[in-house]
Amino acid sequence: MLFGVIWPSSLVLAHFISQYPVGTKRVLEVGCGIALSSLLLNKKKADITATDYHPEVGKFLLRNTLLNQDGPINYEQTNWSNKQDSLGLFDLIIGSDLLYENEHIELLANFIQAHANKSCEVILVDPGRGRKTKLSTKMLDFGFSSTHIKPEHTDYIKQDFKGHILKFKR
């Protein structure tokens, strides 16, 4: 388990979400890790909640908000199989580099479904691990439309980005 690294997918998500019209939407970052996108949205005064299963994330998140001279970010330590979390429903769900194993597809899709408002957008950045189509199929079963976008202008990353931005909407 690696923690404390800003992965290329995280940079792509932060870059994409920095231009995204979040407005007054309630936003959930799933598997936030270092929570780059949550920190960015917090700076923009968005209603952001971050989640991760790693026990150190909450401490890092609090420390990073203090270093950025921002208010605290709502955070809950949870995993995708937890049916007892207190998160509630969201209008926009974001995440990056989440599909490491085949079993993550169903877990993630069910977690998103459990926390998605009736009208919800989901933006996930996948680095190209070969599971995006299977996740899209699951999301279609939950009534979402699906779009895969190849990100442009990724010169802020050292290597070519082979992944996609997955957008789901209902």
Side-chain angles (χ1 to χ4, degrees), residues 98-143:
L98 301 172
L99 299 171
Y100 287 96
E101 306 289 339
N102 282 331
E103 65 202 35
H104 292 166
I105 296 165
E106 188 164 343
L107 286 171
L108 178 60
N110 289 337
F111 186 82
I112 290 170
Q113 172 63 11
H115 297 293
N117 270 324
K118 226 177 238 191
S119 177
C120 181
E121 296 173 90
V122 179
I123 300 170
L124 305 176
V125 177
D126 180 68
R129 296 186 192 278
R131 295 178 180 90
K132 72 180 184 311
T133 303
K134 290 178 182 177
L135 177 66
S136 294
T137 300
K138 267 312 254 179
M139 297 300 288
L140 289 170
D141 290 345
F142 289 133

Side-chain angles (χ1 to χ4, degrees), residues 51-54 75-80 82 85 87 111:
T51 65
D52 203 292
Y53 72 94
H54 194 286
Y75 174 76
E76 186 165 333
Q77 182 183 347
T78 190
N79 64 54
W80 301 334
N82 181 5
D85 65 50
L87 292 167
F111 186 82

Side-chain angles (χ1 to χ4, degrees), residues 36-49:
L36 183 61
S37 291
S38 288
L39 290 162
L40 178 114
L41 290 172
N42 194 42
K43 183 64 84 180
K44 295 173 89 172
K45 307 293 186 219
D47 181 1
I48 180 72
T49 299

Side-chain angles (χ1 to χ4, degrees), residues 3-7 10 13-14 29-42 48-52 57-58 60-62 64-65 68 73-75 94 96:
F3 172 72
V5 177
I6 298 178
W7 298 103
S10 180
L13 178 61
E29 184 173 10
V30 177
C32 68
I34 288 295
L36 183 61
S37 291
S38 288
L39 290 162
L40 178 114
L41 290 172
N42 194 42
I48 180 72
T49 299
T51 65
D52 203 292
V57 169
F60 275 83
L61 187 58
L62 180 58
N64 283 332
T65 56
N68 284 292
I73 294 173
N74 294 326
Y75 174 76
I94 64 174
S96 62

